[in-house]
Amino acid sequence: MQAQHCHGAETLSEFILQQQTGETINKGFYLGTRVAHGQYSSTCIVFERPAFENMKNILQPGINCWKIDEVSESGLLIDAKDYYRAFCNAAATAERYVLLSGWQFDSDVALIREGNDDKTGITLISFLDRLCEKNPDLRIYILAWNFSVIYSIDREWLQSWNFKWNTNERIQFCFDSCHPFGASHHQKFVVVDGRIAFLGGLDLCSGRWDDRSHRATNPLRVNGDQSPYPPFHDVQSYHVGPVAARLEEFFKEQWRAVCNYDLDLGAPARSHAVRFENSLPVKSARVGVSRTQVRTTDTGNESVREIRHLFRDAISAAESFIYIENQYFSSQAIHEALVRRMSDRRRSRLEIVLVLAKEANAFVEQASIGIAQAKVIRNLRNLAAQTGHKLGIYYAASAAENGEEVATYVHSKLLLIDDQFLSVGSANLNNRSMGLDTELNVSWQVGDGETEAQQSIRDVRVNLLAEHTGLEVREANQLARTTGLVGYLDQTCNNPHSRLRLHPNFEGSADGESWIETFFPDGLPLDPEGPVFGEDSYEPIPESRDGLFPKGINWLSSLLSRGIE
C-alpha cells in the first residue's frame, strides 16, 4: 500500500492518502514543516482515520502496575534540551519542595545552554541554590545512587560535599545504597510540590544534553570541563495532577528506607501553570505507574517485577505492530515474550521496529549485555524470516564534515503497541531492569472511544521516527503507516539524506573479548534478573556452570560492576 505525499507547506492544509487504486484510506491535516536546526513540530501530521479495534486492557494494578492515577496533563519531552528547560520552569514555580531521584547527578551540568534569559548557562547546583535563596520556605531533597567503585573515574568526586556543604542548608543530598548486593538505584524522576512530575530515562548529569538534530558536532554538547561527547537521544515524560502525588509517595518511601526518617512535606501547594515547550502531549486522563524493586527483609528478598509483567503483557496483546526504543535488548523475559507472540500462527503478523544504540559504550557492557543482545537479535531475525513477521532493527547516525559516521547513542526506554499503549521510564530491556535494579515506568492506554488519545500516541511514534530518519515531513508522512512500515524504513536506510541505519548486530568478537565467550558463551554474568545471592533469579546458572570458579566469577563481577546503566 503506497501513500501519496501530503499537500501544503507552512499552513494548515488538508490532504488525502490513497492507494494506487485510488481508494481513500486516510484523511488528515498537515501542521507545518520541519524547522531548521533540528526543531520539529510536536504534531507534524494529524490523521483522521478509523481507530483500531480496542485491545484488551493491559494495565492491571497489583500485577503489572502499582496504581493507575489521573492526570490533567501529560506527555513526552524528547531529548535533554527540552526536558532540562521544562524542569527549570517547573522547579521555579515550587513553593514548598522539589524531590529529585536519579542514577547520577552532576553539580556542574549546564541545564539551559542557549537563549537570552537569566537561566542560560546556569549549572544544576547554582540553579537549586538560587531557588532556595529566592524562597525561604523551599526545601530540596536529592536521592542518588551510591555508585560502585567501577564508575568512580566517570563520576564527580566529593559530590556529597558539593551538594551538602557548598549550598543552602535546605538542600539535602543522600546517597542511596539501600539495595540487595549487586543492585543499583536506576530510576530518574522529579516531583515539584506534589503536583508536577517528570519521569523517564534522563538524569540531570553530564553527557546527556543534546537537541533533536543530533548533529555530529555541536559546540553546546560539552561537559562541565568542556570535553565534547557524541549525540545522545532520550525521552522523559511530564505529568500534572494526582500521579505526581503517587510518585511523591514512592520517593518518601525510598527516603525513609535510605535515611531512616520520614519526610514531612506538608499539604500540596497551590497549582501553577507551567509551559512544556516543544512537548508531545498524550491525550489520556489516566497514567499507570509500574516498578521494579527488590526489598531486603528479615526472611529474604521480596521482588516487585511489575515492569517485567507489563512488557510481557503488552507484547502479547499486540495485533498490528510493536515500536521499541531502548539502550539495550538482552532481557530473556522480553525475548521469550516476543518469541511466543511471533510463534503463534493463529495471530496476525506484526511489524516490529526496534531502535537501539549501535553498540555498548564500555567494554564491561559489551562483554556482558552486548554478547547476549547479539544472540537475542540473531534469534529474532531468524524467527521473523520463518514466521512472516516484519522485523526492522535500526540505529541513528549523523555525518561529520569529513564524512565519518557518528552514531547517536540511544538511551531511551520506550515501548509502544498498536498506537494504543505507550510506556516510558527508566527500565532498560535487560535482565537487571526486569528484576534487580530500582526502576519506574509510566504507561498510557487508550480506552473505548478515546480517538484523541490514540491519535496522540500515533503522533509520538511518527514524531520519533521523523527525528531518527531526519527526513522532511513530505517524506516522513509515510511513517504513520502500519502496514509496510518496516519495508519503508529499510528503504529509508539507503537514502543518503536519512539518519537511519540498519543495526549491524556485531557477530564477531574482538580479540579482547574472545576469551570471555570461551568461558561465558552468554557474556560475563553481570546482567542478572535477581539478587546475586538469592533464589529468585529468572535464569539460574546451569549445572554445568555450578562449580566454584563460575560462582566466584559471578560474585566478583557483580562486586565490580553492580549497576550497569
Side-chain angles (χ1 to χ4, degrees):
M1 182 182 297
Q2 299 295 323
Q4 295 179 352
H5 294 307
C6 61
H7 304 288
E10 296 296 334
T11 60
L12 177 67
S13 57
E14 185 175 341
F15 65 92
I16 295 175
L17 303 182
Q18 297 177 322
Q19 294 182 7
Q20 290 179 338
T21 61
E23 176 189 357
T24 299
I25 56 172
N26 271 312
K27 180 178 179 182
F29 295 96
Y30 164 60
L31 302 180
T33 61
R34 173 184 172 186
V35 182
H37 306 299
Q39 299 304 305
Y40 294 80
S41 167
S42 62
T43 51
C44 297
I45 305 168
V46 180
F47 287 98
E48 292 178 349
R49 59 181 295 171
F52 291 118
E53 181 180 349
N54 282 107
M55 65 170 60
K56 67 178 182 180
N57 189 35
I58 294 173
L59 292 170
Q60 300 290 335
I63 298 175
N64 59 28
C65 69
W66 178 27
K67 301 287 184 180
I68 300 176
D69 291 290
E70 294 182 354
V71 287
S72 58
E73 185 179 358
S74 68
L76 302 184
L77 295 157
I78 312 302
D79 297 319
K81 174 186 174 182
D82 291 333
Y83 166 50
Y84 285 3
R85 182 175 289 276
F87 161 73
C88 288
N89 291 341
T93 70
E95 294 184 353
R96 298 186 178 178
Y97 54 88
V98 179
L99 313 176
L100 302 98
S101 180
W103 188 80
Q104 181 179 354
F105 293 95
D106 286 315
S107 63
D108 62 349
V109 61
L111 298 176
I112 297 177
R113 308 192 180 193
E114 55 187 4
N116 299 317
D117 57 36
D118 62 350
K119 298 187 187 73
T120 302
I122 193 168
T123 63
L124 174 61
I125 197 167
S126 298
F127 174 69
L128 298 178
D129 203 42
R130 181 190 294 183
L131 292 180
C132 289
E133 289 177 359
K134 290 184 176 180
N135 182 356
D137 296 324
L138 183 66
R139 291 170 293 162
I140 297 174
Y141 300 92
I142 304 173
L143 194 59
W145 177 44
N146 193 7
F147 53 89
S148 169
V149 66
I150 198 171
Y151 288 99
S152 59
I153 296 177
D154 297 323
R155 295 293 182 114
E156 179 181 19
W157 287 31
L158 303 176
Q159 186 173 78
S160 180
W161 184 88
N162 282 336
F163 279 102
K164 282 185 176 181
W165 307 111
N166 202 27
T167 60
N168 191 288
E169 61 182 6
R170 284 176 279 113
I171 298 177
Q172 297 192 39
F173 181 95
C174 186
F175 274 128
D176 183 1
S177 56
C178 188
H179 306 289
F181 183 80
S184 75
H185 169 111
H186 192 242
Q187 61 208 8
K188 307 128 189 324
F189 71 98
V190 172
V191 179
V192 177
D193 282 345
R195 55 184 175 80
I196 301 173
F198 302 94
L199 184 152
L202 277 163
D203 284 299
L204 298 166
C205 68
S206 300
R208 301 295 191 265
W209 188 95
D210 202 358
D211 61 32
R212 299 194 66 183
S213 66
H214 301 302
R215 287 171 286 173
T217 58
N218 185 337
L220 298 177
R221 198 174 58 231
V222 293
N223 293 315
D225 61 0
Q226 299 304 301
S227 60
Y229 55 89
F232 192 93
H233 169 73
D234 213 329
V235 175
Q236 198 83 352
S237 65
Y238 65 89
H239 309 272
V240 180
V243 71
R246 182 72 61 193
L247 295 172
E248 174 192 307
E249 178 184 343
F250 185 83
F251 184 96
K252 290 168 67 176
E253 177 185 301
Q254 192 68 12
W255 187 275
R256 183 188 310 115
V258 173
C259 303
N260 296 314
Y261 71 91
D262 291 326
L263 288 181
D264 182 11
L265 300 176
R270 59 186 178 181
S271 179
H272 292 273
V274 175
R275 290 185 59 193
F276 302 99
E277 298 175 8
N278 303 319
S279 64
L280 298 177
V282 177
K283 301 294 187 178
S284 176
R286 299 170 305 279
V287 173
V289 179
S290 301
R291 305 164 295 175
T292 301
Q293 192 171 18
V294 181
R295 299 186 182 96
T296 301
T297 67
D298 294 337
T299 58
N301 293 317
E302 293 181 355
S303 298
V304 176
R305 295 179 175 175
E306 293 160 352
I307 297 174
R308 180 176 179 269
H309 292 300
L310 178 72
F311 285 5
R312 295 176 72 183
D313 292 344
I315 289 169
S316 176
E319 291 293 341
S320 180
F321 67 91
I322 297 173
Y323 176 74
I324 290 172
E325 289 186 11
N326 212 275
Q327 182 182 5
Y328 304 122
F329 193 6
S330 62
S331 166
Q332 290 300 312
I334 306 308
H335 172 224
E336 291 188 3
L338 282 168
V339 168
R340 282 195 299 272
R341 174 60 184 88
M342 295 169 69
S343 300
D344 190 344
R345 296 187 178 274
R346 300 167 298 177
R347 304 278 302 277
S348 58
R349 303 299 94 183
L350 297 173
E351 301 259 348
I352 304 172
V353 175
L354 306 179
V355 180
L356 306 173
K358 182 181 180 181
E359 57 185 327
N361 63 0
F363 169 79
V364 172
E365 295 176 3
Q366 181 58 36
S368 54
I369 294 176
I371 293 172
Q373 175 174 295
K375 295 185 176 183
V376 166
I377 290 176
R378 182 170 61 248
N379 187 41
L380 291 178
R381 280 176 166 159
N382 292 338
L383 183 59
Q386 296 167 10
T387 58
H389 296 277
K390 301 300 182 183
L391 175 66
I393 306 177
Y394 312 97
Y395 71 98
S398 299
E401 291 184 359
N402 61 3
E404 180 182 355
E405 176 185 282
V406 181
T408 298
Y409 192 74
V410 175
H411 191 263
S412 48
K413 301 94 168 58
L414 179 147
L415 172 66
L416 190 152
I417 307 290
D418 291 348
D419 288 341
Q420 298 187 59
F421 174 86
L422 173 62
S423 184
V424 171
S426 66
N428 287 311
L429 292 185
N430 59 359
N431 296 312
R432 304 183 62 89
S433 288
M434 295 298 104
L436 179 60
D437 294 340
T438 302
E439 309 282 10
L440 275 176
N441 270 50
V442 288
S443 303
W444 300 262
Q445 181 167 4
V446 175
D448 291 338
E450 294 182 343
T451 56
E452 191 176 13
Q454 182 178 352
Q455 178 62 59
S456 66
I457 293 178
R458 183 183 295 115
D459 289 344
V460 166
R461 173 172 62 88
V462 172
N463 199 282
L464 286 168
L465 283 172
E467 175 181 318
H468 296 315
T469 58
L471 297 177
E472 300 294 338
V473 171
R474 284 184 177 274
E475 299 174 83
N477 68 71
Q478 294 239 31
L479 300 173
R481 68 197 302 171
T482 56
T483 302
L485 178 60
V486 170
Y488 176 75
L489 293 178
D490 285 349
Q491 294 176 11
T492 299
C493 292
N494 297 321
N495 184 335
H497 302 293
S498 171
R499 298 184 61 250
L500 202 66
R501 308 283 191 274
L502 293 173
H503 198 282
N505 191 35
F506 301 103
E507 300 286 347
S509 298
D511 293 339
E513 297 170 23
S514 59
W515 67 271
I516 296 174
E517 291 187 89
T518 300
F519 293 100
F520 302 99
D522 296 324
L524 286 174
L526 308 182
D527 184 26
E529 206 191 66
V532 175
F533 299 120
E535 301 298 328
D536 57 351
S537 60
Y538 177 75
E539 189 176 25
I541 298 174
E543 291 184 2
S544 60
R545 302 184 204 172
D546 202 27
L548 291 177
F549 177 72
K551 283 187 174 181
I553 291 294
N554 194 344
W555 178 85
L556 179 60
S557 298
S558 297
L559 175 65
L560 293 175
S561 303
R562 65 184 202 183
I564 293 175
E565 190 190 7

